[in-house]
Amino acid sequence: MELIALGDRDHADMVRAVTYGRQSHKSETDSQASPQMQREKGIAYINSQDRWSHVGHYEDVGLSGYDPNVFRPDFERLMQDARERKFDVVVIYMLSRLTRQGAAEALKIQQELANYGVALVSTQEPFINTSDDNPFGVAFFALIAGLAHQESKNKSKFIRDAFTALKAKGSHISGPVPYGFDAENVQMDGLTVRLLKPGAQSDTELGPDSTSADAVMHMIESVESGEKENAIASGLTEKRVPTPLGSLDEESAKARRDAAQGRRKSGKDDAAEYEWSPTVVRRILRDPRLAGFAIGPVDQKTKRRLILRDDEGQPVRPHAGFIEPKRWYDLQAVLDGRRRERNMDRAGTMTLLGSWGVLRCGKCRSGMTVSNVDQTYVCNLRRSVGDVEKHVVRIAQEDTNSVVAARLWAKVSTLDPEDDEDVAILAAAAERFAIQGTDPHAAEELAEQEAQLLHVQGSMKELYQDRKDGLYEGATGRQAFKETILKYQQHEARCMTRIEELKAAATTATRLPIDEWAADTENGDPLEPGGLWERWDVADKRAFLSLFVDEVVVNPNTTRRGTSWERVNGRVEIEWATPKTEDEDNESVTA
């Protein structure tokens, strides 16, 4: 390296000095290395020198000096102005503000500046001064540059190690607090772990003054009642409920808005604080943190946050969620279209067969809904789907309920323990009855385990498809696939084992009270006026029906002969329940 003679030049009466500052943080802080402090220290140094004049300032905020791929606009402008000989000295606060890439990069920058007669001075490191005023500066330059690089490496490693440890404990380690949540710091094994909990809910009607936690619970309950994301978003917008952007303080909202501005094709929308979209609603409902799970990486295909799992594949659940895991898994099934959560029809009434998935159209196998106008169950396929043409299949509600009830009790009263098909029905009913009647804690655990099993099996199918689509190419990709599928398989095996244990325990302790059901009427007929069936409400009837029946299929009408009840009886088929096997979710026997 060489010293720069500042006195031997055309403008010897003045040394033109500029300052350069950099900070990785995006916000101005009050730290000793803040951009403002760097600027003030540099100008003070320049003013303290004889015949030096401050002629410009360059500054990069929110940009790393360690990553060689980061483009620093003002640094590039600084170097271009140096090539055009617009100044004589660059004053920096510390060498780490100029670069953290080590001695080689620092020397390269200094050498290029020297080629254009520009000296480099550090206000906090007096040995870094390549002007001819300090002949010792060059000797120490490389040493200081190397130390800056090592410090940055050590700091980066510490941060990576700390993040790894916190992530393993399920901490919410970075980024804004999720919509609807509050965060608190707790000490755990010597680490400060940031845990989430639902924010406060208000007693006010949903609107501009409601909390973000109010909005989250509204979304959850709306989906569970059958409402779609489009309708939920429209309702929240109409009620002027603040969006995730609108719920932030002014400074945070401005930062979020500015960051997103470049990604939007249109200009800034002043009403964005209250205008909800179905995408935002779905993203909130998909978040595993709603159930208290810690989040892992983003699935590159679905763009959803995955559940963080421990070394054995178990979900990590450190946070307090809005809902229990079982309810969250069911919510995902509803969003995926795999489950109809609504048990009532569109008018808000509950019928024996309508709108809960048991009643199926014999033409397209879709679920049938309720038409309260003419008291019918109806399937209205408005367009052709594959080989199935559009159609309307309709059947009288009261007669269908009567036919199903009569066939149900006839089957229950004549089940033969010597008949293989009847034994299968009895086994399935006994298992289901045991699960219905088990203690609340065991029932809750069983429901959660079954939901987890469905979820992890769905994740495995997606992972296999991703590999088939070429998303796990190369040695690194194959290793990532192997590790992930192993965790899923371990979790699947644990769920299946626990489900079998819970079902076995419940079934062993329970028997079907068929005799008691039949005897709970004056003449032993549950369907007689005032009998057991009449005394049960719709929920009780559904629970009993679900013990013995998987589906009720309604075929199209093919005749006008006979009474309404006889025509309905000829159109209805019942698929009786049988126990689940390893290979099939459900077998059925058609009567």
Side-chain angles (χ1 to χ4, degrees):
M1 278 189 280
E2 59 182 291
L3 297 178
I4 306 301
L6 298 177
D8 185 16
R9 53 188 68 215
D10 296 338
H11 48 272
D13 60 325
M14 181 186 69
V15 174
R16 301 167 300 171
V18 298
T19 49
Y20 175 77
R22 182 192 62 80
Q23 179 170 301
S24 298
H25 304 294
K26 290 185 179 180
S27 59
E28 187 97 357
T29 69
D30 59 358
S31 70
Q32 63 173 354
S34 71
Q36 180 181 356
M37 183 63 70
Q38 294 177 54
R39 185 168 58 250
E40 291 175 353
K41 288 284 187 181
I43 293 174
Y45 181 89
I46 291 169
N47 291 337
S48 71
Q49 303 299 306
D50 185 30
R51 296 184 298 109
W52 284 31
S53 175
H54 184 240
V55 297
H57 178 70
Y58 303 81
E59 182 175 282
D60 289 307
V61 178
L63 298 171
S64 170
Y66 185 78
D67 188 346
N69 296 318
V70 170
F71 177 77
R72 291 185 280 162
D74 257 25
F75 174 75
E76 297 298 332
R77 187 167 64 88
L78 171 79
M79 298 305 293
Q80 181 59 38
D81 288 349
R83 297 181 191 105
E84 298 175 7
R85 302 180 186 275
K86 292 183 177 181
F87 48 78
D88 307 307
V89 182
V90 176
V91 179
I92 57 176
Y93 182 74
M94 296 177 72
L95 183 58
S96 61
R97 301 304 89 200
L98 188 65
T99 179
R100 283 184 177 273
Q101 294 178 43
E105 180 65 18
L107 292 173
K108 179 181 176 182
I109 294 172
Q110 190 277 331
Q111 187 61 55
E112 183 171 359
L113 290 173
N115 290 340
Y116 298 104
V118 177
L120 182 67
V121 175
S122 169
T123 64
Q124 301 301 300
E125 298 155 330
F127 297 114
I128 297 181
N129 184 336
T130 63
S131 72
D132 56 1
D133 291 339
N134 189 350
F136 296 102
V138 175
F140 289 94
F141 189 94
L143 174 63
I144 300 300
L147 291 175
H149 179 62
Q150 187 60 41
E151 175 197 3
S152 186
K153 285 178 64 178
N154 292 341
K155 181 178 179 181
S156 296
K157 184 178 186 304
F158 172 79
I159 292 173
R160 286 196 303 270
D161 291 347
F163 266 45
T164 299
L166 291 171
K167 193 173 181 181
K169 296 179 182 298
S171 174
H172 177 71
I173 54 179
S174 64
V177 176
Y179 183 75
F181 282 92
D182 289 336
E184 61 177 344
N185 294 331
V186 299
Q187 292 296 316
M188 185 184 299
D189 298 336
L191 291 172
T192 300
V193 178
R194 194 182 188 198
L195 299 182
L196 302 174
K197 61 180 180 179
Q201 297 186 46
S202 67
D203 295 328
T204 61
E205 186 177 350
L206 198 66
D209 297 328
S210 57
T211 69
S212 57
D214 293 334
V216 170
M217 282 309 305
H218 170 77
M219 285 183 247
I220 292 171
E221 292 168 353
S222 296
V223 169
E224 290 176 337
S225 67
E227 200 167 351
K228 299 299 182 183
E229 295 94 303
N230 286 340
I232 296 172
S234 298
L236 292 171
T237 300
E238 183 179 344
K239 295 177 184 294
R240 300 285 290 173
V241 176
T243 64
L245 179 66
S247 66
L248 297 175
D249 59 76
E250 184 175 347
E251 182 179 352
S252 300
K254 183 180 184 303
R256 182 85 66 86
R257 192 184 296 111
D258 291 344
Q261 182 64 33
R263 299 192 298 268
R264 287 201 294 264
K265 295 180 180 179
S266 58
K268 180 167 60 180
D269 188 349
D270 293 333
E273 287 84 352
Y274 298 99
E275 290 193 358
W276 286 83
S277 71
T279 301
V280 173
V281 172
R282 179 174 283 262
R283 185 172 69 242
I284 291 172
L285 294 171
R286 288 288 192 187
D287 196 326
R289 290 171 292 194
L290 290 182
F293 293 124
I295 54 172
V298 175
D299 185 298
Q300 293 305 307
K301 184 176 182 181
T302 64
K303 304 304 179 184
R304 299 178 196 165
R305 279 287 190 179
L306 300 176
I307 296 173
L308 182 66
R309 298 180 182 274
D310 61 22
D311 292 338
E312 296 181 348
Q314 291 278 42
V316 178
R317 189 168 178 254
H319 308 299
F322 278 85
I323 54 179
E324 290 302 308
K326 166 62 168 61
R327 191 173 173 187
W328 183 82
Y329 284 122
D330 287 345
L331 188 68
Q332 305 315 299
V334 174
L335 294 172
D336 289 337
R338 293 183 287 109
R339 178 189 179 111
R340 276 190 77 140
E341 191 66 21
R342 184 174 60 194
N343 288 331
M344 296 184 181
D345 60 45
R346 295 171 183 169
T349 59
M350 182 183 287
T351 59
L352 176 64
L353 301 172
S355 302
W356 65 290
V358 70
L359 192 65
R360 296 283 171 180
C361 171
K363 194 172 183 68
C364 66
R365 302 297 292 190
S366 297
M368 299 183 70
T369 58
V370 175
S371 172
N372 288 319
V373 175
D374 55 4
Q375 298 296 301
T376 60
Y377 296 122
V378 61
C379 173
N380 188 353
L381 189 66
R382 299 179 182 273
R383 59 184 179 84
S384 298
V385 177
D387 296 332
V388 182
E389 299 177 351
K390 62 180 182 179
H391 59 266
V392 175
V393 173
R394 192 182 301 274
I395 194 166
Q397 187 181 130
E398 184 177 350
D399 286 337
T400 305
N401 294 346
S402 175
V403 166
V404 170
R407 291 219 210 145
L408 171 64
W409 282 104
K411 171 63 76 173
V412 170
S413 62
T414 59
L415 285 171
D416 183 359
E418 301 297 326
D419 183 276
D420 291 341
E421 291 186 355
D422 285 356
V423 168
I425 296 172
L426 280 168
E431 181 181 279
R432 297 178 187 186
F433 180 73
I435 294 170
Q436 284 184 9
T438 193
D439 70 89
H441 295 295
E444 181 179 347
E445 183 184 358
L446 177 60
E448 180 178 337
Q449 290 292 333
E450 288 180 329
Q452 283 196 38
L453 179 61
L454 285 174
H455 190 268
V456 77
Q457 287 174 339
S459 299
M460 290 169 68
K461 290 179 181 178
E462 290 179 0
L463 193 65
Y464 281 121
Q465 184 60 47
D466 289 347
R467 185 180 65 170
K468 185 178 179 181
D469 293 341
L471 299 184
Y472 288 92
E473 298 292 342
T476 302
R478 288 192 295 271
Q479 183 63 27
F481 172 82
K482 182 179 178 181
E483 292 174 356
T484 304
I485 200 66
L486 179 60
K487 283 187 176 183
Y488 285 162
Q489 289 171 341
Q490 290 173 336
H491 187 54
E492 179 191 35
R494 274 190 299 272
C495 287
M496 293 175 70
T497 299
R498 186 56 181 154
I499 288 170
E500 290 304 315
E501 291 173 351
L502 291 168
K503 286 184 176 181
T507 305
T508 301
T510 312
R511 69 176 183 83
L512 278 173
I514 294 178
D515 294 339
E516 287 85 341
W517 286 329
D520 194 11
T521 54
E522 183 176 347
N523 299 317
D525 181 5
L527 295 175
E528 67 182 13
L532 185 63
W533 189 250
E534 187 177 289
R535 297 201 305 272
W536 280 347
D537 61 19
V538 175
D540 290 332
K541 292 176 180 178
R542 283 185 171 187
F544 182 77
L545 181 70
S546 66
L547 296 178
F548 299 94
V549 174
D550 281 336
E551 289 184 349
V552 176
V553 180
V554 176
N555 294 310
N557 192 19
T558 58
T559 180
R560 293 183 177 276
R561 296 181 179 179
T563 64
S564 173
W565 194 96
E566 290 171 341
R567 289 196 299 271
V568 166
N569 189 47
R571 295 174 59 192
V572 169
E573 295 181 12
I574 295 180
E575 296 188 355
W576 302 105
T578 56
K580 291 180 181 178
T581 65
E582 293 183 1
D583 298 326
E584 296 174 303
D585 286 339
N586 199 4
E587 291 183 0
S588 59
V589 180
T590 302

